[in-house]
Amino acid sequence: MGRIIYTRDMCSACVELKERYNLQNIRYEERNADRLEQPQDEIDIQAFIEEVVMKNIDPKNITLPLEYNYDA
């Protein structure tokens, strides 16, 4: 299983999550949250569908960081 966190610069919650994961040696891939609106691969598309569309969230109002786990 893979773990992706979608973040933005200057997001204090994003920085806090990354610091916690690093301290706990939790592996993750960081991606810019813009990729949810302009997907660059299949994982971005699936994250958008599962975390935005299925939960009926306006993409402009996503609470970050957004964590997405996928089967690798």
Side-chain angles (χ1 to χ4, degrees), residues 7 13 15 17 21-22 26 28 30 32 45-46 48-49 53 56-60 62 64-65 67-68 71:
T7 65
V15 170
L17 179 65
Y21 278 1
N22 290 336
I26 296 173
Y28 64 91
E30 180 180 10
N32 188 291
I45 293 168
Q46 287 302 314
F48 179 80
I49 291 170
V53 175
N56 198 28
I57 298 172
D58 180 342
K60 304 276 188 228
I62 296 171
L64 295 176
E67 297 180 66
Y68 179 68
D71 293 326

Side-chain angles (χ1 to χ4, degrees), residues 1-4 21 27 43 50-51 67-71:
M1 176 166 288
R3 179 185 314 254
I4 293 176
Y21 278 1
R27 296 179 63 191
I43 293 173
E50 292 178 28
E51 300 296 329
E67 297 180 66
Y68 179 68
N69 297 307
Y70 65 95
D71 293 326

Side-chain angles (χ1 to χ4, degrees), residues 18-33:
K18 291 185 291 184
E19 287 174 352
R20 184 167 22 103
Y21 278 1
N22 290 336
L23 285 172
Q24 296 174 355
N25 292 318
I26 296 173
R27 296 179 63 191
Y28 64 91
E29 176 185 342
E30 180 180 10
R31 293 186 177 189
N32 188 291

Side-chain angles (χ1 to χ4, degrees), residues 6-9 11-14 33-34 36 61-67:
Y6 290 91
T7 65
R8 289 205 196 284
D9 292 338
C11 167
S12 60
C14 300
D34 291 340
L36 293 169
N61 295 323
I62 296 171
T63 300
L64 295 176
L66 186 141
E67 297 180 66

